[in-house]
Amino acid sequence: MKTLLIFMVSLTPFFLSLFVLRRAKRRWESNLRRVRNRVEQLNYDPGHQARVRTYTTIGDLSCKYNARSPYLRCAINPSGQCQNCQHYLSREKHS
């Protein structure tokens, strides 16, 4: 009888951890399923493409130092004009 009791007590932590791990795995899979469903809803949303932000760059795009940003014109001369700039370097010449 004592042997059976010791055996049962020694297996209790194993079964408890198994129970807790299974519960956590089910909860994690449920959350993952919910996230996947949400992503699918966003991908099939017809208005989703309209919300993509587009912008234009300023300055001369042929210059190597163009920042390619809607806010900065040039990496060397951010507020200056591209015409007659002493730092102008054509992308074709540099490549």
Side-chain angles (χ1 to χ4, degrees):
M1 186 69 170
K2 272 186 171 181
T3 309
L4 183 62
L5 182 64
I6 291 172
F7 185 70
M8 293 297 287
V9 168
S10 66
L11 288 179
T12 301
F14 169 74
F15 286 117
L16 262 173
S17 65
L18 189 64
F19 173 73
V20 168
L21 285 175
R22 279 187 162 189
R23 229 174 108 200
K25 184 178 177 185
R26 275 195 308 255
R27 191 178 318 140
W28 186 82
E29 287 174 348
S30 171
N31 287 341
L32 184 62
R33 219 175 297 118
R34 192 170 51 243
V35 168
R36 283 182 183 160
N37 289 338
R38 181 67 180 142
V39 167
E40 286 176 7
Q41 287 174 356
L42 289 176
N43 287 341
Y44 292 121
D45 182 12
H48 181 67
Q49 294 298 326
R51 289 191 295 261
V52 174
R53 191 175 75 190
T54 58
Y55 58 86
T56 57
T57 59
I58 56 175
D60 186 359
L61 290 177
S62 67
C63 180
K64 177 184 182 279
Y65 298 114
N66 184 290
R68 287 170 175 50
S69 163
Y71 309 108
L72 291 176
R73 183 177 307 270
C74 174
I76 295 176
N77 188 11
S79 60
Q81 295 294 324
C82 293
Q83 293 85 3
N84 303 326
C85 176
Q86 65 181 357
H87 301 289
Y88 177 82
L89 183 59
S90 173
R91 286 181 131 345
E92 292 82 29
K93 287 180 187 175
H94 186 268
S95 296

